[in-house]
């Protein structure tokens, strides 16, 4: 589950994983999920290895991040994930 949230007039992407019963899976990036500050969500897709590809915008520019199946930024993708 991904969404853009606004806090103090700044957008952030928040990504959560839900369990089969609909509750938040706290083993994915911790209880609050993964947060990418100052960014707007465009789309999220899962690759064949369970990693998430997150597309959106940040500071008016296109942004793509890859996130591990555990919810951590993939530092091997681009610059710092």
């Amino acid at each position: 589950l991904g969404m853009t949230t606004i806090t103090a007039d700044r957008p952030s992407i928040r990504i959560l994983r839900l369990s089969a019963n609909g509750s938040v899976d706290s083993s994915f990036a911790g209880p609050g999920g993964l947060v990418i500050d100052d960014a707007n969500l465009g789309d999220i897709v899962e690759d064949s290895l369970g990693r998430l590809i997150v597309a959106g915008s940040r500071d008016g520019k296109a942004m793509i991040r890859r996130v591990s199946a555990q919810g951590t930024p993939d530092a091997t993708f681009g610059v710092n994930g």
Side-chain angles (χ1 to χ4, degrees):
L1 171 65
M3 67 196 95
T4 298
T5 59
I6 306 292
T7 305
D9 296 327
R10 293 176 46 200
S12 295
I13 297 172
R14 182 174 302 272
I15 302 170
L16 305 168
R17 181 169 55 199
L18 302 179
S19 64
N21 69 5
S23 64
V24 174
D25 179 355
S26 63
S27 70
F28 178 81
L34 175 67
V35 176
I36 303 171
D37 289 324
D38 298 322
N40 288 293
L41 179 63
D43 204 359
I44 300 175
V45 295
E46 185 176 7
D47 71 11
S48 62
L49 299 176
R51 299 174 298 198
L52 301 178
I53 310 301
V54 180
S57 62
R58 188 175 200 178
D59 298 325
K61 298 176 184 170
M63 175 203 70
I64 299 176
R65 294 262 180 111
R66 187 165 68 191
V67 178
S68 73
Q70 295 76 32
T72 57
D74 183 347
T76 67
F77 183 78
V79 179
N80 298 321

